[in-house]
Amino acid sequence: MIYPITVYGDPLLRQTAKPINKDYPELAKLIEDMFETMYFSDGVGLAAPQIGLSIRIFVIDATTYADEEPELANFKKAFINPEIIERTGDEWALNEGCLSLPEIREDIPRPEMVRIKYLDENFTEHDETYSGFAARVIQHEYDHLDGILFIDLLNPLKRRLLKSKLTAISKGKISTKYRQKLPGKK
Ligand code: NI
């Protein structure tokens, strides 16, 4: 099932999402649907709040970037109840976008490396370190679970310049190939 994407202006995107336990109903199906929604929407990552669920899960598939970084060849994963333990290395900027912020792209500085603990879809615990593009996508998706959007990381001037665009997004005036769930609408 392909979910509509919750866009900017919906308070759900600003909430701190809740951890889930093993009994979460139809978890395997949810993860499958998250991947399906992400592929349909041409995203590299998708966090549960973006499909209207305030729970701590995100999915990433960066395998198409393996040409640039060979270690991404198998990087298709679901992260459940993740916890970033450490962010290290120099900050570097990359142009980011977000399905919840259609047509906005900005250079966002983030630390080079992250160490993250998480559960996979079988609730097996992992403790891994990532760098480069993987670390970037992880940090972007992880932020969604804490109600943070990449525009929050811009300086105040740049944020002000985006104001009218953000208003347009929240009113559903930016069309996308995927369906949008607009603030205050079912
Ligand atoms: Ni995003």
Side-chain angles (χ1 to χ4, degrees), residues 61-80:
D61 185 344
T63 54
T64 55
Y65 291 80
D67 288 349
E68 289 139 65
E69 291 182 34
E71 65 271 29
L72 295 174
N74 298 310
F75 191 46
K76 179 191 170 186
K77 278 171 199 277
F79 295 78
I80 300 170

Side-chain angles (χ1 to χ4, degrees), residues 50 98 140 144:
Q50 296 182 277
C98 179
H140 176 120
H144 276 298

